[in-house]
Amino acid sequence: DTEYRAFFEDIAAQRRAHILLDNGVVETGKPMDAVPLIRLARETGVTEFILPDKIYDRSSTLRMGLDAIYLDDSIPLTFEQKRTDMMAVPQGSNSAEWIACCEEMIHWPIRSIGISKFTGKYFPSRLQALQACPELIESKKEIHLLGCQNGAMEIVEIDHAFPDRIRGVDSSIAAIYTKAGMLMSNGMPRPNIEIDLSGNEVDLNCALLFQNLQWFIEACTS
């Protein structure tokens, strides 16, 4: 989507924000191939991109991730480009595989580890996933929460358990509540809707969206 891409290219050019480029696996069922993903990251000037991963598949995720790191190192940079930071997302079919995957990724030349909401398949919460992998907590890798399935309290609990270890969390949760015409508050059930970034789906009530964003930020940092 040229308009969507141009929006983030403009932000990147002005260096106004940290911009994370996802690999598309959640939206399409498979990640973008490494070469076009790397080139897109460089062309748009994003801060960081997520290495290819396959949901619940440890071996494929490790293989694709290492291949992408090798390719990133081998594809020459143009004069205007700079090498982009990378995030790895551990995967596995069970908790033991996820932990093993994460422990291996800690040694990769990456900036951060992303903790997916899909760990809920075998961990009661992402806090317990982090508690099960002390090597990650003790490492110097930044930790990012991908999605917010369980609301602000999940983020608060993780931050209280591991102060200042969570770099950030990305979520469309404020927009989801706004699309449903709901003002966020404690205990309110999550609307069973999704945000479609195509067409006019993102035309939301800006005043309500701002209120929901403010509430969510304050709730996560309380």
Side-chain angles (χ1 to χ4, degrees):
D1 187 303
T2 55
E3 184 178 4
Y4 186 79
R5 171 174 171 166
F7 174 83
F8 286 101
E9 284 180 324
D10 180 59
I11 294 176
Q14 299 180 46
R15 295 286 182 266
R16 293 198 313 235
H18 176 92
I19 304 174
L20 175 64
L21 173 64
D22 208 341
N23 62 37
V25 66
V26 174
E27 291 78 12
T28 66
K30 65 177 183 178
M32 183 183 289
D33 290 337
V35 171
L37 179 64
I38 293 166
R39 286 178 175 162
L40 182 61
R42 293 183 184 179
E43 290 168 3
T44 54
V46 298
T47 314
E48 185 178 28
F49 72 94
I50 299 180
L51 293 166
D53 66 297
K54 186 173 182 180
I55 297 172
Y56 302 136
D57 189 329
R58 171 178 172 264
S59 59
S60 293
T61 294
L62 291 174
R63 175 181 52 78
M64 291 189 296
L66 287 171
D67 286 348
I69 290 172
Y70 172 79
L71 285 167
D72 181 69
D73 194 49
S74 63
I75 298 173
L77 296 162
T78 68
F79 179 77
E80 298 85 4
Q81 293 174 340
K82 65 174 184 178
R83 204 165 297 284
T84 311
D85 289 334
M86 293 175 282
M87 174 191 292
V89 180
Q91 296 287 356
S93 62
N94 53 53
S95 59
E97 285 190 359
W98 184 89
I99 293 168
C101 187
C102 187
E103 289 175 344
E104 185 165 341
M105 288 174 166
I106 291 169
H107 302 288
W108 289 3
I110 57 175
R111 174 174 175 170
S112 62
I113 297 287
I115 311 300
S116 168
K117 62 184 180 183
F118 294 110
T119 56
K121 177 181 179 180
Y122 33 76
F123 287 110
S125 69
R126 283 186 288 187
L127 171 58
Q128 293 191 28
L130 290 168
Q131 290 171 330
C133 193
E135 290 85 354
L136 173 59
I137 298 297
E138 295 163 6
S139 75
K140 294 183 178 180
K141 301 300 183 188
E142 296 178 4
I143 301 174
H144 185 87
L145 302 181
L146 292 160
C148 182
Q149 197 70 16
N150 299 317
M153 278 308 301
E154 176 190 42
I155 300 166
V156 172
E157 289 172 355
I158 293 173
D159 188 55
H160 286 176
F162 305 113
D164 302 321
R165 279 301 282 126
I166 304 302
R167 177 185 75 186
V169 54
D170 64 271
S171 174
S172 59
I173 192 168
I176 286 172
Y177 277 87
T178 302
K179 184 179 178 182
M182 300 166 63
L183 183 64
M184 296 178 74
S185 64
N186 284 322
M188 181 176 290
R190 180 188 178 102
N192 188 27
I193 59 175
E194 298 296 334
I195 295 295
D196 183 357
L197 294 175
S198 63
N200 295 319
E201 278 291 314
V202 290
D203 289 343
L204 301 173
N205 180 329
C206 291
L208 179 58
L209 177 60
F210 180 77
Q211 286 181 283
N212 282 335
L213 283 168
Q214 288 298 109
W215 184 92
F216 186 61
I217 291 169
E218 291 172 8
C220 289
T221 55
S222 61

